[in-house]
Amino acid sequence: MSKQVIAALASLVLASCGFLSSEPEPFVPDSIVTGVNFVGVSVSDLDSAESYYSSSIEAETVAQETLEPGNILALLADDDGALETRLIRRTNTQLRLMQFAPHSQAGGAHEAVPVQGPGIAHVCFQVAEETDAYNRILAAGATPIGDPELVQLSDNNPVHYGYVKDTDGIITEIEQVDLAKLNLPEPPKNNFRVRHVSMATPDLERMIAFYSAFLGGQEPRHVGSLIKVSGDTVDKVSGLQDSKIEMAWFQLSNLEIEIFQYHSHPTTLPDSPRPIDAPGYNMIVFDVSDIESARERLIQAGGSIVTDVGTLDGGEVIFGRDPDGNLIGLQKLPETSVYSAANFPDNGI
């Protein structure tokens, strides 16, 4: 998918919500944080989770392995045992499914992050209407969070939205687009892609400042700072009454980081970071060109480092946290690695 098509779809989505007053700024790739490699997700059953994503959005399993005791991901869970993982890909980014058996006492005490957070709340799949992805994910076992039918936020654009949760309570957003009604410069090369990974926060201003600095000074698209996003159609998507939302988006080479705050349904950060083995999304791992430069930038932006450098997927990785405590990986892979976002096909790079 070309950058022009991605920009056009970004404009479409914002305009369909009534948010857009001008075209998005041209995307300028960052030299240090170059993309999102994968989003981690802790699941109760790998086979079921793999089937859920493959049957609904045609995700492909690209790696399946047992990480040996002492691996860096298990150490993040204060567990020196082996860890079963599967890496699945949907065109432009990956999900790493992780099965911790058993969950730690702390992890088992948590439920998946709700719509309003705080934490990594959902991943959004943007799909062509012809894929029937929404009905397919319901057939795979998902349950609608809001209205049982997809919701069109504006009559001006052919985009329909819905939040669903799987049997673990993990939220997926489906953003279904009628491509035949769009005037795109060229058609997308794929009918499925990951639109964004989304974080809910009780302090959007602080998170914008952090990610702007971490991503090399990028200024996000930002809506709702003066008049909060609200209305019946928004409530139908979120499943929350009288929603009032403020949102920001940061663009990377292969997808967006969405950050939002529900001013109508305030949340507070926990006293300690969410355990990695708690159900749901547990990390965002970025491709970086240089680990030391990325580490320094994360610290200077206001984040913290929580591990030494370890190995993963044939490369090196170090983990830190953003100001909300969300786990961030900084991964340097060989230039030819099939796991690097730079080498995903048709991802807009």
Side-chain angles (χ1 to χ4, degrees):
M1 187 179 296
S2 74
K3 294 175 186 174
Q4 290 81 9
V5 171
I6 289 176
L9 287 170
S11 300
L12 162 72
V13 172
L14 291 176
S16 70
C17 301
F19 300 156
L20 192 66
S21 60
S22 62
E23 291 295 311
E25 292 294 322
F27 171 64
V28 178
D30 183 58
S31 61
I32 295 176
V33 183
T34 58
V36 172
N37 186 283
F38 68 82
V39 178
V41 54
S42 175
V43 301
S44 61
D45 185 278
L46 282 176
D47 290 335
S48 295
E50 182 182 36
S51 175
Y52 179 81
Y53 291 107
S54 64
S55 62
S56 59
I57 50 93
E58 299 182 11
E60 173 192 9
T61 300
V62 295
Q64 177 177 334
E65 60 182 325
T66 301
L67 299 179
E68 296 300 320
N71 71 83
I72 192 167
L73 297 180
L75 290 176
L76 286 166
D78 295 325
D79 181 359
D80 61 0
L83 170 65
E84 298 288 335
T85 79
R86 291 181 193 169
L87 196 63
I88 63 173
R89 183 179 302 165
R90 180 57 267 170
T91 306
N92 62 314
T93 199
Q94 302 172 137
L95 297 181
R96 184 180 293 275
L97 309 178
M98 308 178 192
Q99 183 174 339
F100 295 86
H103 287 292
S104 67
Q105 184 175 359
H110 285 72
E111 296 182 346
V113 173
V115 169
Q116 70 273 26
I120 306 173
H122 70 260
V123 167
C124 172
F125 293 98
Q126 187 179 71
V127 302
E129 185 178 58
E130 64 195 68
T131 65
D132 198 30
Y134 182 68
N135 287 326
R136 289 167 67 175
I137 203 167
L138 295 180
T143 303
I145 289 177
D147 196 279
E149 301 295 329
L150 288 176
V151 177
Q152 187 173 10
L153 298 183
S154 167
D155 293 334
N156 297 329
N157 286 290
V159 186
H160 292 76
Y161 303 83
Y163 284 174
V164 301
K165 60 182 178 180
D166 68 10
T167 54
D168 286 327
I170 301 167
I171 298 173
T172 300
E173 179 182 3
I174 298 295
E175 182 182 292
Q176 198 158 283
V177 184
D178 185 352
L179 294 172
K181 295 183 180 179
L182 302 183
N183 185 26
L184 295 175
E186 60 182 90
K189 294 181 179 179
N190 299 282
N191 285 332
F192 302 87
R193 75 180 184 102
V194 179
R195 168 74 177 173
H196 58 246
V197 56
S198 185
M199 292 179 281
T201 180
D203 191 340
L204 183 62
E205 184 176 344
R206 182 178 67 167
M207 288 285 276
I208 287 176
F210 170 81
Y211 278 96
S212 180
F214 175 62
L215 297 175
Q218 182 182 152
E219 291 297 322
R221 302 195 311 277
H222 185 186
V223 301
S225 58
L226 297 178
I227 301 175
K228 303 299 181 272
V229 179
S230 63
D232 290 343
T233 53
V234 175
D235 293 351
K236 287 181 179 180
V237 175
S238 70
L240 301 173
Q241 289 188 337
D242 301 322
S243 299
K244 291 181 174 57
I245 315 170
E246 184 180 357
M247 294 173 282
W249 294 267
F250 290 91
Q251 179 68 56
L252 283 92
S253 61
N254 57 323
L255 80 167
E256 289 181 323
I257 303 294
E258 177 185 73
I259 309 172
F260 62 94
Q261 180 177 354
Y262 275 84
H263 292 273
S264 54
H265 297 75
T267 61
T268 57
L269 295 177
D271 293 334
S272 58
R274 182 178 175 84
I276 185 178
D277 60 338
Y281 305 106
N282 57 16
M283 65 181 67
I284 301 173
V285 175
F286 295 89
D287 273 347
V288 301
S289 60
D290 181 87
I291 284 184
E292 182 59 25
S293 296
R295 185 185 75 85
E296 287 298 322
R297 186 186 279 181
L298 185 145
I299 293 172
Q300 292 175 8
S304 60
I305 297 296
V306 297
T307 73
D308 295 326
V309 176
T311 58
L312 186 67
D313 297 333
E316 293 185 324
V317 65
I318 190 171
F319 285 93
R321 294 191 184 277
D322 68 18
D324 276 9
N326 297 308
L327 195 60
I328 294 174
L330 311 173
Q331 187 171 33
K332 176 68 169 68
L333 292 169
E335 290 185 3
T336 58
S337 172
V338 296
Y339 302 121
S340 170
N343 298 321
F344 298 165
D346 303 325
N347 67 351
I349 294 178

